[in-house]
Amino acid sequence: EKRIKAVLAAYLVLFRDGKVLLSQRANTGYYDGYFGLVSGHVEGKEIFTEALIREAFEEAGIQLKFQDLETCHFMHRYEDLNPTGSKVRVDVFILAKSWRNEIINKEPEKCSHLDWFSLNDLPENTIPYIKSAIDCIRAKKRYNEYGF
């Protein structure tokens, strides 16, 4: 039996006043029009936290410090919709307890909207596995298998 090759991704979880920061995808070919979290693939020899720090700055203009980050959820996921590469995903959701700089949309060509949304009323067009992760995080469930 062949070993699984998985795509690794880090997701930024920011909470403030009962709200979560979500970004609306655009022009990517993947869940365009849906809301997700600031996130990105782990590249090269990066670790999850390094990828997250890089993506947070690239996408939202904020600076994060390692000591302010806490892994809050881990998801092993099977992705049917992705047309290329491995369909097996390992997603790590990392809570930032604090950040520096104002949050801005630095990638308007890929993100049409970046804003805070009530945890009790997420947009209907939230990416399903992201909604599942947020629900798990709120319930303090640290691990989830999704899409298998």
Side-chain angles (χ1 to χ4, degrees):
E1 195 171 321
K2 291 186 178 183
R3 292 180 188 223
I4 295 171
K5 293 184 181 178
V7 176
L8 309 178
Y11 294 78
L12 176 62
V13 179
L14 293 183
F15 292 136
R16 182 176 76 184
D17 301 326
K19 296 180 178 183
V20 62
L21 183 72
L22 296 178
S23 62
Q24 188 172 35
R25 300 180 62 85
N27 306 312
T28 67
Y30 180 76
Y31 274 112
D32 289 335
Y34 281 75
F35 284 93
L37 298 167
V38 169
S39 62
H41 294 124
V42 177
E43 298 176 358
K45 291 188 173 184
E46 282 181 324
I47 58 177
F48 284 98
T49 49
E50 289 171 334
L52 184 70
I53 288 169
R54 175 181 50 78
E55 291 289 349
F57 185 74
E58 289 174 1
E59 294 183 19
I62 58 174
Q63 293 181 318
L64 305 174
K65 293 181 181 179
F66 286 102
Q67 63 265 29
D68 295 327
L69 303 177
E70 178 184 310
T71 301
C72 58
H73 188 65
F74 178 85
M75 182 180 284
H76 186 188
R77 181 167 60 90
Y78 187 82
E79 178 60 74
D80 258 341
L81 296 178
N82 200 306
T84 61
S86 176
K87 294 185 181 297
V88 177
R89 308 289 165 144
V90 176
D91 300 328
V92 174
F93 296 81
I94 302 171
L95 175 70
K97 294 177 250 178
S98 67
W99 59 91
R100 291 187 317 189
N101 298 346
E102 183 179 336
I103 296 170
I104 58 170
N105 183 1
K106 286 185 64 178
E107 292 185 335
E109 70 283 359
K110 295 180 185 177
C111 171
S112 59
H113 189 68
L114 183 65
D115 207 347
W116 297 94
F117 292 88
S118 171
L119 287 165
N120 296 320
D121 191 24
L122 295 177
E124 285 189 34
N125 55 334
T126 299
I127 298 170
Y129 75 88
I130 296 295
K131 182 180 181 327
S132 176
I134 291 170
D135 290 343
C136 286
I137 293 164
R138 292 183 70 200
K140 303 210 182 308
K141 183 178 177 187
R142 309 270 294 171
Y143 176 73
N144 187 20
E145 295 164 348
Y146 188 92
F148 288 94

